[in-house]
């Protein structure tokens, strides 16, 4: 396998037995994927499409019915693989009586961080997730966004090469979601591979290099975000202070040169952008 | 292959654990009062289960005994006997439960049965007598069980002797219980006399004297004040049997 | 190899530590320990209800019974709850996504729970021991004044009782973990666990029948043999009153044999739990 591949999934199939009779329910159907190193990879799809099951199989939490999965060249169920990976599940629960710092120390110890390096590793993780100040508060007092960030801190405390995030922004307000987005980009900048499972397509679009879209357990589309989203048969011209006269002239010129479907629209901001701008404004004030 | 080996391994491990537990149980069981399962069955589901499971046995036995008083007041024979036997079964080393269960079964229940059948005027004396004897025998069976579980407690055996004497009018049976009582540790001083008297009353006068004399010479004479009351009884037997002076117990220096 | 074992031990210890901290903060634990302590303390006040036993026997039975009963409930509920809480809250996911093996997770959980049960047993036994010792001193003085034989009380016997009960609760915890490792719901684990405990407490009936009854058919004998091999004997640990008040009736080596048997049961049941948990979907 190439050293450039962080996760390799070959012919992965997972069947669940449901009900008393044990009817077979196929959650993942012959999925094959190769996730390159050092990129942010989005795994998308509607609820129940098999994203979370795929992630769990990758992490060795659920055995596969068929197929092979490896993380950085190691079998997914091996401790070598898990030593190199960090994971934040969807809506995680952490022991409320621990402080954020204690929790991250606990996970650091479980991840094999040596006692001598423990303190600095914990501080680096807390710093990376902007939780240094809140680190001495008990987790019971944390907001949803802080919980996600402390969850992220426990996932990266042992400096894994691969970070797997399942709905890291679920239930988090847009400002918090943007902060998590920035953290993901920072991880990529450090050379880590990030696998992101999210319903926030706007965020996925912003942070992911590649995406895979799953439906009914199958892979329906996979590729670079730019390649997937770019429409090669359409162009956009933007301008400001455009008068009616100028527009009429421009339209005539375009049509004269064979352009079709020429229209005038105003570019829109995304609601998320507007919200962040407004909230940021009010917070700054 | 691996799965098969795992199953075999687990089965072997469970087997080994079971063997160790059996060995441990052999050593431990002597210190756990043995419960009579049959006695408990009628009252299972009345809060007794916990006692069987191993906790609060004394407390539950006491509670069960208290509940038996309610049944006793209502003269509910089945409930009363069931609860009393349950108390005995839960805490079989307690003499109190055995002795009082024997008394209630042997002495009271025949009266309850006669009342249930219409009273003393309606039930013929023969049937009354049959009932007294039949319940007395049941009472004796309780005393026998109690004796077994309490290591031959002399108090229970003396109670059995009294029941045989009073209700069954069987002096020789009574004597056999008293005699067993005299063979136990901590036997009360009067058990010897009770045994001799029962044998005497049962017609075995010579045997009664011979046994009593032997007990006095070998056991009683050396204890405390040399049991002068027993010697007095023996002198009475000697006089009744018209024994020649030389066959009598020699006169003691302290004897009046 | 040694380093790997050291790391494994470190992870297990930390899981145990967090489990212990979580368990000890539960209101259920505080409630049961207070209730049991109240029962133990009140045993002296209820002794007038006793019929024909030695007074200390009644106090001992009351106290030991309370510890036995509430200890069993605590073990059942707490073990199943702590196990299922980790899985349902997805904490197990974050733990098992780390280089933590399922054996380490399970053993860590067990040690954490067992440590809490140790606190429960030893605290209550200490309270009961103090009450019995205090009353024993009074009874000895009264007996000496009346010229009667004073009752016996063995403090080391009370300590041995605590050890045996702790082992018994350990066996129950391991049983519940074995059931929970394959159970799909908390309720199922509780119900089946309770039934297993019940069977364990009644196993002695089969054991006795096998040891005592002479005229039994081969089929019945095989059935009894199977029962005694499969179901753990939990009754063997209930010799508290004999250890405390009638130590002469306890056979030589009985405590050691029961302790060894308890340890073996714990190991075997944890192996079973581990095998059940190995392929469980988290």
């Amino acid at each position: 396998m190439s050293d450039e591949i962080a996760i390799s999934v070959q012919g992965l199939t997972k069947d669940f037995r449901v009900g008393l009779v044990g009817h077979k329910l196929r959650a993942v159907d012959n999925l094959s994927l190769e996730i390159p190193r050092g990129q942010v990879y989005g795994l998308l799809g509607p609820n129940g499409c098999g994203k979370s099951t795929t992630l769990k199989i990758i992490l060795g939490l659920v055995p596969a019915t068929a197929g092979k999965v490896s993380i950085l060249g190691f079998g997914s169920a091996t401790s070598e693989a898990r030593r190199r990976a960090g994971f934040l599940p969807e809506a995680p629960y952490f022991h409320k009586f621990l402080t954020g710092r204690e929790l991250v120390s606990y996970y650091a110890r479980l991840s094999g961080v040596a006692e001598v390096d423990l303190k600095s590793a914990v501080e680096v993780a807390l710093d990376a997730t902007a939780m240094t100040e809140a680190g001495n508060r008990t987790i019971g007092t944390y907001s949803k966004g802080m919980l996600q960030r402390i969850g992220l801190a426990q996932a990266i405390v042992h400096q894994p090469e691969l970070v797997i995030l399942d709905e890291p922004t679920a239930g988090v307000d847009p400002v918090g979601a943007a902060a998590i987005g920035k953290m993901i980009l920072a991880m990529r900048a450090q050379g880590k591979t990030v696998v992101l499972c999210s319903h926030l397509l706007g965020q996925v679009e912003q942070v992911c290099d590649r995406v895979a879209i799953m439906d009914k357990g199958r892979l329906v589309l996979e590729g670079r975000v730019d390649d997937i989203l770019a429409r090669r048969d359409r162009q956009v011209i933007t301008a400001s202070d455009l008068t009616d006269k100028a527009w009429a002239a421009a339209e005539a010129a375009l049509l004269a040169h064979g352009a079709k479907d020429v229209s005038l629209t105003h570019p829109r901001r995304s609601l998320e952008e507007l919200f962040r701008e407004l909230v940021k404004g009010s917070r700054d004030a | 292959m691996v799965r098969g080996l795992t199953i075999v391994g687990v089965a072997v491990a469970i087997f080994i654990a079971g063997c160790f537990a059996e060995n441990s149980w052999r050593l431990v069981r002597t210190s756990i009062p043995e419960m009579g399962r049959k006695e408990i069955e009628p009252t299972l589901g009345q809060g007794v289960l916990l006692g069987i499971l191993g906790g609060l046995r004394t407390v539950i036995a006491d509670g069960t005994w208290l509940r038996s008083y309610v049944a006793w007041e209502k003269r509910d024979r089945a409930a009363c006997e069931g609860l009393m036997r349950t108390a005995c079964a839960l805490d079989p080393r307690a003499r109190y439960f055995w002795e009082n269960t024997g008394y209630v079964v042997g002495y009271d229940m025949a009266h309850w049965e006669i009342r249930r059948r219409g009273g003393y005027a309606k039930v013929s004396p023969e049937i009354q007598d049959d009932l007294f004897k039949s319940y007395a025998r049941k009472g004796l069976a309780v005393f026998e069980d109690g004796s077994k579980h309490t290591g031959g407690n002399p108090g229970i055996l003396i109670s059995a002797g009294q029941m045989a004497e009073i209700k069954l009018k069987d002096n020789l049976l009574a004597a056999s219980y008293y005699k067993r009582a005299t063979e136990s540790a901590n036997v009360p001083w009067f058990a010897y006399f009770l045994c001799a008297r029962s044998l005497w009353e049962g017609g075995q006068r010579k045997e009664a004297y011979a046994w009593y004399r032997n007990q006095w010479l070998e056991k009683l004479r050396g204890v405390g004040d040399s049991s002068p009351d027993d010697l007095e009884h023996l002198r009475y037997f000697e006089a009744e049997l018209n024994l020649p002076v030389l066959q009598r117990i020699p006169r003691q220096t302290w004897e009046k | 190899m040694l380093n790997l074992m050291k790391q494994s031990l470190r992870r297990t210890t930390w899981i145990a530590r967090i489990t212990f901290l979580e368990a000890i903060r539960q209101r259920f634990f505080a409630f049961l320990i207070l209730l049991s302590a109240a029962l133990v303390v009140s045993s002296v006040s209820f002794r007038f209800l006793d019929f024909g036993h030695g007074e200390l026997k009644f106090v001992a039975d009351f106290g030991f019974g309370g510890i036995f009963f509430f200890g069993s409930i605590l073990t059942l509920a707490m073990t199943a709850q702590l196990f299922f809480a980790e899985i349902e809250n997805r904490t197990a996911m974050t733990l098992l996504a780390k280089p933590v093996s399922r054996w380490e997770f399970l053993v860590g959980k067990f040690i954490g729970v067992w440590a809490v049960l140790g606190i429960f047993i030893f605290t209550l036994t200490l309270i009961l021991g103090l009450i019995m010792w205090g009353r024993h001193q009074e009874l000895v003085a009264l007996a000496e004044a009346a010229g009667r034989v004073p009752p016996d009380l063995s403090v080391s016997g009370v300590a041995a009782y605590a050890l045996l009960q702790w082992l018994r609760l350990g066996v129950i915890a391991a049983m519940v973990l074995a059931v929970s490792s394959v159970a799909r719901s908390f309720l199922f684990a509780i119900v089946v666990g309770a039934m297993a405990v019940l069977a364990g407490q009644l196993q002695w009936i089969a054991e006795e029948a096998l040891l005592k009854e002479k005229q039994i058919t081969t089929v019945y004998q095989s059935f009894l043999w199977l029962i005694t091999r499969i179901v753990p004997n939990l009754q063997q640990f209930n010799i508290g009153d004999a250890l405390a008040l009638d130590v002469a009736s306890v056979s030589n080596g009985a405590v050691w044999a029961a302790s060894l048997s308890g340890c073996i049961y714990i190991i075997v049941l944890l192996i079973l739990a581990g095998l059940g948990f190995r392929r469980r979907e988290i």
Side-chain angles (χ1 to χ4, degrees):
Chain A
M1 187 203 293
S2 162
D3 283 349
E4 295 306 307
I5 301 300
I7 297 175
S8 166
V9 177
Q10 301 298 328
L12 182 69
T13 298
K14 176 65 191 176
D15 293 328
F16 287 109
R17 298 270 164 197
V18 290
L20 284 174
V21 223
H23 285 300
K24 204 164 73 176
L25 179 80
R26 182 148 290 185
V28 181
D29 191 0
N30 196 25
L31 177 74
S32 294
L33 276 179
E34 286 201 331
I35 299 176
R37 273 190 187 216
Q39 294 197 2
V40 181
Y41 195 93
L43 198 55
L44 313 177
N47 287 336
C49 71
K51 303 183 302 269
S52 292
T53 306
T54 304
L55 289 189
K56 285 181 187 177
I57 296 172
I58 289 172
L59 287 158
L61 297 172
V62 170
T65 308
K68 278 185 182 171
V69 180
S70 66
I71 295 176
L72 301 159
F74 296 99
S76 68
T78 61
S79 62
E80 285 83 0
R82 277 178 282 145
R83 215 181 297 280
R84 287 164 175 80
F87 175 53
L88 171 67
E90 184 184 353
Y93 170 91
F94 298 111
H95 305 288
K96 286 181 182 165
F97 55 87
L98 295 176
T99 64
R101 201 165 255 107
E102 284 169 345
L103 180 93
V104 179
S105 303
Y106 171 47
Y107 279 96
R109 286 181 169 107
L110 296 183
S111 307
V113 175
E115 285 295 328
V116 283
D117 304 327
L118 193 78
K119 205 171 172 192
S120 62
V122 170
E123 292 311 317
V124 167
L126 289 174
D127 185 50
T129 52
M131 287 296 288
T132 307
E133 278 179 35
N136 287 334
R137 276 167 51 190
T138 54
I139 288 169
T141 65
Y142 281 5
S143 68
K144 180 84 186 161
M146 290 165 95
L147 268 178
Q148 291 294 101
R149 279 188 281 148
I150 205 73
L152 198 57
Q154 66 77 25
I156 61 169
V157 67
H158 57 302
Q159 294 296 330
E161 292 167 60
L162 168 70
V163 182
I164 297 176
L165 309 172
D166 191 3
E167 303 287 356
T169 50
V172 179
D173 66 47
V175 177
I180 290 173
K182 273 186 189 169
M183 288 167 203
I184 293 170
L185 292 173
M187 284 189 262
R188 182 179 63 184
Q190 289 167 7
K192 295 184 197 303
T193 308
V194 181
V195 177
L196 172 68
C197 211
S198 176
H199 286 298
L200 288 182
L201 300 182
Q203 187 181 48
V204 171
E205 189 184 332
Q206 280 172 18
V207 300
C208 289
D209 299 303
R210 293 180 77 87
V211 292
I213 299 174
M214 288 178 72
D215 189 28
K216 293 176 186 160
R218 293 196 191 99
L219 182 67
V220 288
L221 183 70
E222 201 270 346
R224 285 178 52 79
V225 175
D226 290 343
D227 294 345
I228 290 171
L229 297 182
R231 293 188 62 179
R232 304 283 173 205
D233 61 337
R234 289 277 193 278
Q235 292 80 30
V236 178
I237 298 170
T238 56
S240 59
D241 300 332
L242 188 69
T243 61
D244 288 347
K245 201 175 165 187
W247 164 243
E251 188 182 27
L254 287 167
L255 290 169
H257 285 85
K260 288 173 191 162
D261 303 331
V262 179
S263 64
L264 175 68
T265 55
H266 293 283
R268 286 167 61 116
R269 282 176 290 186
S270 71
L271 185 60
E272 192 179 318
E273 278 174 330
L274 175 68
F275 178 88
R276 273 166 39 200
E277 213 168 274
L278 290 173
V279 172
K280 190 170 183 292
S282 71
R283 284 189 186 168
D284 292 344
Chain B
M1 180 67 178
V2 175
R3 203 171 180 175
L5 280 174
T6 310
I7 292 169
V8 172
V10 169
V12 169
I14 292 172
F15 171 77
I16 291 170
C19 290
F20 271 96
E22 189 171 300
N23 175 51
S24 158
W25 180 248
R26 280 177 204 269
L27 291 167
V28 160
R29 61 206 280 247
T30 53
S31 43
I32 297 179
E34 196 177 337
M35 273 187 288
R37 274 172 285 152
K38 282 176 189 150
E39 288 81 359
I40 289 168
E41 273 165 20
T43 43
L44 265 183
Q46 296 180 37
V48 173
L49 189 64
L50 184 66
I52 303 167
L53 295 180
L56 298 162
R57 269 167 75 165
T58 307
V59 180
I60 291 170
D62 288 347
T64 309
W65 189 257
L66 275 175
R67 283 172 61 199
S68 77
Y69 284 171
V70 179
W72 187 87
E73 287 198 349
K74 289 181 183 165
R75 299 192 171 92
D76 182 344
R77 191 196 60 77
C80 185
E81 190 177 344
L83 288 164
M84 286 184 165
R85 280 181 180 271
T86 301
C88 293
L90 280 174
D91 196 359
R93 290 186 183 167
R95 168 193 161 184
Y96 180 91
F97 293 144
W98 290 111
E99 210 168 355
N100 286 287
T101 303
Y103 285 149
V104 171
V105 172
Y107 291 117
D108 299 351
M109 286 188 178
H111 293 285
W112 299 354
E113 184 60 21
I114 291 166
R115 285 189 185 203
R116 197 184 64 80
R117 293 186 186 193
Y120 300 95
K122 276 196 177 173
V123 178
S124 69
E126 292 77 24
I127 292 178
Q128 283 188 30
D129 193 50
D130 278 353
L131 285 171
F132 284 130
K133 283 187 174 158
S134 123
Y135 278 98
R137 277 188 207 100
K138 282 189 180 177
L140 285 180
V142 174
F143 288 137
E144 280 287 0
D145 276 354
S147 166
K148 226 183 292 167
H149 284 102
T150 54
N153 184 289
I156 293 179
L157 290 168
I158 289 171
S159 299
Q162 281 180 309
M163 190 168 283
E165 208 177 323
I166 299 166
K167 287 288 174 186
L168 295 179
K169 319 282 184 215
D170 187 340
N171 287 311
L172 293 180
L173 181 62
S176 74
Y177 282 118
Y178 295 138
K179 193 180 276 182
R180 276 167 61 192
T182 63
E183 286 156 8
S184 321
N186 303 320
V187 54
W189 61 272
F190 52 83
Y192 296 92
F193 170 65
L194 290 177
C195 179
R197 193 194 63 187
S198 294
L199 284 171
W200 185 272
E201 301 283 336
Q204 297 188 352
R205 292 180 155 209
K206 283 183 184 165
E207 290 83 351
Y209 173 71
W211 179 83
Y212 200 13
R213 174 191 169 112
N214 196 34
Q215 296 296 314
W216 189 82
L217 289 172
E218 289 192 356
K219 287 191 197 165
L220 302 171
R221 188 167 56 166
V223 181
D225 56 358
S226 304
S227 309
D229 292 337
D230 289 297
L231 185 59
E232 205 177 317
H233 295 138
L234 280 163
R235 293 289 181 225
Y236 170 77
F237 285 177
E238 286 166 351
E240 285 292 306
L241 289 170
N242 277 325
L243 287 181
V245 176
L246 285 176
Q247 285 181 21
R248 296 184 181 196
I249 296 170
R251 186 171 171 77
Q252 306 296 303
T253 49
W254 44 266
E255 206 175 346
K256 286 177 196 168
Chain C
M1 184 69 184
L2 193 71
N3 193 38
L4 280 178
M5 279 172 70
K6 240 168 113 176
Q7 282 188 8
S8 173
L9 194 68
R10 183 185 181 216
R11 289 191 292 266
T12 310
T13 312
W14 272 97
I15 292 172
R17 203 158 151 174
I18 297 295
T19 305
F20 174 81
L21 285 173
E22 192 183 9
I24 214 137
R25 283 163 199 252
Q26 287 189 347
R27 282 187 191 158
F28 182 59
F29 174 72
F31 172 71
L32 274 188
I33 203 165
L34 283 176
L35 196 68
S36 312
L39 192 81
V40 166
V41 172
S42 66
S43 60
V44 183
S45 323
F46 284 116
R47 65 182 190 269
F48 66 89
L49 286 174
D50 182 42
F51 298 97
H53 303 102
E55 186 184 315
L56 282 178
K57 166 99 170 76
F58 184 81
V59 174
D61 190 78
F62 207 91
F64 290 151
I67 295 171
F68 160 86
F69 183 64
F70 291 115
S72 304
I73 292 177
L74 178 71
T75 312
L76 254 173
M78 198 169 66
T79 313
Q81 198 269 331
L82 286 172
F83 182 84
F84 275 95
E86 293 271 284
I87 289 176
E88 281 166 15
N89 294 333
R90 298 158 200 260
T91 323
M93 269 192 197
T94 51
L95 290 175
L96 294 171
K98 299 282 178 198
V100 173
S101 77
R102 296 199 175 196
W103 289 100
E104 289 162 2
F105 175 79
L106 209 67
V107 173
K109 285 266 141 220
F110 172 77
I111 294 172
V113 169
W114 205 26
V116 178
L117 295 172
I119 300 268
F120 177 85
I121 289 286
F122 291 107
T123 307
L124 290 174
T125 312
L126 182 70
I127 296 172
L128 181 65
L130 285 173
I131 288 172
M132 285 172 70
W133 181 80
R135 188 62 194 150
H136 180 247
Q137 298 301 308
E138 290 170 13
L139 290 173
V140 167
L142 287 172
E144 277 170 3
R148 281 185 278 113
V149 183
D152 282 336
L153 174 69
S154 162
V155 175
S156 59
V158 175
Y161 159 80
L163 177 75
L164 286 182
Q165 277 304 303
W166 191 41
L167 279 165
R168 191 182 76 87
L169 295 188
V171 175
I172 295 179
M175 276 164 93
V176 177
L177 274 181
V179 173
S180 301
S181 68
V182 289
R184 291 278 143 217
S185 73
F186 174 68
L187 189 67
F188 179 85
I190 284 281
V191 172
V192 177
M195 281 161 66
V197 173
L198 208 68
Q201 288 299 147
L202 296 174
Q203 190 261 27
W204 65 273
I205 296 175
E207 194 90 73
E208 279 297 276
L210 190 67
L211 289 173
K212 271 177 139 185
E213 287 179 26
K214 300 278 181 267
Q215 290 172 326
I216 47 175
T217 62
T218 316
V219 176
Y220 185 45
Q221 195 174 19
S222 311
F223 171 73
L224 290 175
W225 185 87
L226 200 66
I227 293 286
T228 55
R229 290 302 174 275
I230 293 175
V231 182
N233 183 344
L234 295 177
Q235 197 72 256
Q236 61 177 316
F237 306 106
N238 287 342
I239 50 172
D241 43 1
L243 281 169
L245 304 173
D246 187 15
V247 81
S249 73
V250 182
S251 315
N252 283 339
V255 174
W256 288 113
S259 304
L260 182 65
S261 169
C263 291
I264 290 171
Y265 270 137
I266 288 173
I267 293 168
V268 170
L269 287 164
L270 284 179
I271 290 173
L272 263 181
L275 291 173
F277 191 54
R278 206 172 43 157
R279 288 186 67 79
R280 185 190 174 111
E281 285 158 2
I282 304 295

